[in-house]
Amino acid sequence: MASIQKRANGSWRARYRDEAGKEHARHFKRQKEAKAWLDEVTASVISGTYVDPKTALTTVQEWSTTWLKGYENNRPSTVRQAKTHIKRINDSFGSRALKSVRPSEVKAWTARLSDEGLADSTVYALHSRLGQLFADAVHDGLLSKSPVSRRTAPKAGKQRPYVATTQQVWALHDAMPDGLQPAVLLAAFAGLRIAEAVALRVSDVDFMRGIITPAIQYPGVELKTEESKNPIPIPQNLCLELSVNHTRWGSETLVTNEWGRAISPHRVEHYFREARSSVKGLPEGFRFHDLRHYFASLLIAQGLDVKVVQKSLRHSSAKTTLDTYGHMWPDKEETARAAVASVLADRINSKSERQA
């Protein structure tokens, strides 16, 4: 419902009620201006882009506070990461109204983050978080359109993981305390992440059939994705190595401290850094997670195709596998050249025989 009325002072009062029944009004000097405003509002309602004028004044910080409350049902580590991103976003845009942020400003922001020395992957993650924040604001009716898009996105940055040699992997294994050695085995020869390795229970391993079925991660919470629950086949000699702690302590988990009790990823990382410093040739930034890269390289070196490697690493898509490890597959250029050459050779030989 909308109307235009002339007031006693000669101005024109235009008003309308939104879908919630709330009245909105503005005053204009001329009837033509009042009608144009109402036409604009009506068009936005019809197109689904209508935004309450007062709601449109919501700042980025106000909306991010509300958004985080709805995000808190995620994993604690996921929420912590989101809060870190939101803090940096608010440092730049917090006082701004959502509707005032422009795509050009988003691009300038990511360029400034890069200039500050942040890694490409970090800048990309921050841009993605900003996009998530604005997309949800649009979905919630606070905005008609997000200023964040693929056109404002920075480069993602490609991961080129350091792959340890087999000798370095065994040196790391031997340098770790006895109870933590299974963690190295689980990462390097089964591809488990650290939170999965320390939480892996004896009951999650079928020692007779040689199958690991991850079910939880530290501190006893469900795995993040369904793919992470995929079973992992392992050889019998690895099963024997993994059973040592349970045989000795009767422990529930395969990775234990010196008293046969479960241990946190933080403590494993501490011992891992100490072990790393004693292994020749390993870079200072080499992480426990890089043992998973060794596992990937081991599979690729055996000639396994991308789908098999994806399944073994429990990636959600082959794209993730290729983005991270595509450079490790043998170069097929010579094979492709040979295939074409073979066809052309057959043709040339055929022509030669007909001319003979």
Side-chain angles (χ1 to χ4, degrees):
M1 176 181 174
S3 64
I4 300 176
Q5 291 181 330
K6 189 172 184 178
R7 304 188 72 203
N9 62 2
S11 65
W12 294 85
R13 183 172 187 261
R15 63 176 183 166
Y16 69 92
R17 290 187 182 276
D18 60 26
E19 294 179 346
K22 184 179 179 181
E23 183 179 284
H24 304 271
R26 282 185 63 181
H27 298 88
F28 300 88
K29 289 183 178 180
R30 296 186 295 174
Q31 183 181 20
K32 182 179 179 180
E33 294 171 346
K35 184 176 184 304
W37 179 69
L38 281 181
D39 288 345
E40 183 182 344
V41 170
T42 302
S44 67
V45 171
I46 293 172
S47 65
T49 60
Y50 172 78
V51 176
D52 185 323
K54 291 185 178 179
T55 299
L57 297 176
T58 302
T59 66
V60 173
Q61 183 151 6
E62 289 169 343
W63 169 239
S64 65
T65 300
T66 301
W67 183 87
L68 276 172
K69 288 179 181 177
Y71 198 72
E72 286 179 350
N73 60 343
N74 286 286
R75 297 177 183 278
S77 58
T78 303
V79 175
R80 283 196 300 272
Q81 185 183 56
K83 287 181 176 178
T84 300
H85 290 165
I86 293 299
K87 182 180 183 304
R88 191 174 280 272
I89 288 170
N90 281 333
D91 286 343
S92 297
F93 299 109
S95 62
R96 299 278 298 279
L98 286 166
K99 69 174 185 176
S100 73
V101 180
R102 299 286 179 261
S104 58
E105 293 175 306
V106 174
K107 290 197 74 171
W109 176 62
T110 57
R112 189 165 62 251
L113 293 175
S114 295
D115 289 342
E116 291 174 6
L118 294 183
D120 289 344
S121 58
T122 303
V123 177
Y124 188 83
L126 286 165
H127 178 272
S128 297
R129 185 72 67 189
L130 186 67
Q132 186 180 19
L133 199 65
F134 272 96
D136 286 349
V138 171
H139 184 71
D140 220 44
L142 302 180
L143 278 176
S144 60
K145 185 179 180 182
S146 171
V148 185
S149 68
R150 290 179 64 182
R151 296 182 67 178
T152 65
K155 58 183 179 181
K158 292 199 181 227
Q159 185 182 25
R160 296 286 266 189
Y162 177 86
V163 178
T165 65
T166 300
Q167 291 76 13
Q168 288 172 329
V169 169
W170 284 121
L172 279 168
H173 172 273
D174 295 343
M176 293 284 279
D178 291 347
L180 305 185
Q181 288 178 347
V184 174
L185 298 176
L186 289 168
F189 301 115
L192 265 66
R193 303 167 181 91
I194 189 167
E196 298 168 341
V198 299
L200 192 71
R201 301 162 299 190
V202 175
S203 58
D204 296 328
V205 183
D206 186 331
F207 290 94
M208 294 295 293
R209 295 168 58 213
I211 297 176
I212 293 174
T213 307
I216 59 173
Q217 64 180 358
Y218 185 87
V221 298
E222 286 190 8
L223 297 174
K224 195 170 184 178
T225 65
E226 286 302 311
E227 288 79 9
S228 296
K229 300 175 184 177
N230 289 344
I232 306 166
I234 59 172
Q236 281 299 316
N237 49 6
L238 180 55
C239 286
L240 289 174
E241 291 289 336
L242 293 174
S243 66
V244 171
N245 280 350
H246 175 64
T247 302
R248 179 182 180 186
W249 300 102
S251 58
E252 181 183 355
T253 58
L254 298 180
V255 180
T256 68
N257 62 16
E258 59 267 41
W259 300 288
R261 297 172 189 155
I263 190 170
S264 71
H266 177 74
R267 292 300 297 162
V268 174
E269 290 278 16
H270 168 75
Y271 286 110
F272 185 81
R273 286 191 294 271
E274 289 187 346
R276 180 189 65 201
S277 65
S278 67
V279 178
K280 185 178 180 180
L282 283 181
E284 187 176 342
F286 188 83
R287 308 160 301 162
F288 183 91
H289 190 80
D290 291 325
L291 292 173
R292 184 170 153 85
H293 300 325
Y294 170 82
F295 176 62
S297 73
L298 194 64
L299 301 181
I300 294 169
Q302 292 300 311
L304 302 183
D305 65 39
V306 65
K307 291 301 292 183
V308 175
V309 176
Q310 173 203 341
K311 184 177 179 182
S312 299
L313 290 169
R314 295 165 296 133
H315 282 156
S316 59
S317 72
K319 181 180 183 302
T320 301
T321 308
L322 285 171
D323 284 348
T324 309
Y325 303 111
H327 64 287
M328 292 184 183
W329 264 275
D331 189 354
K332 299 297 184 182
E333 182 178 311
E334 289 303 322
T335 304
R337 182 181 287 117
V340 175
S342 176
V343 172
L344 291 175
D346 288 343
R347 169 68 174 173
I348 292 169
N349 291 337
S350 176
K351 288 177 67 176
S352 297
E353 289 173 1
R354 286 200 303 268
Q355 292 171 356

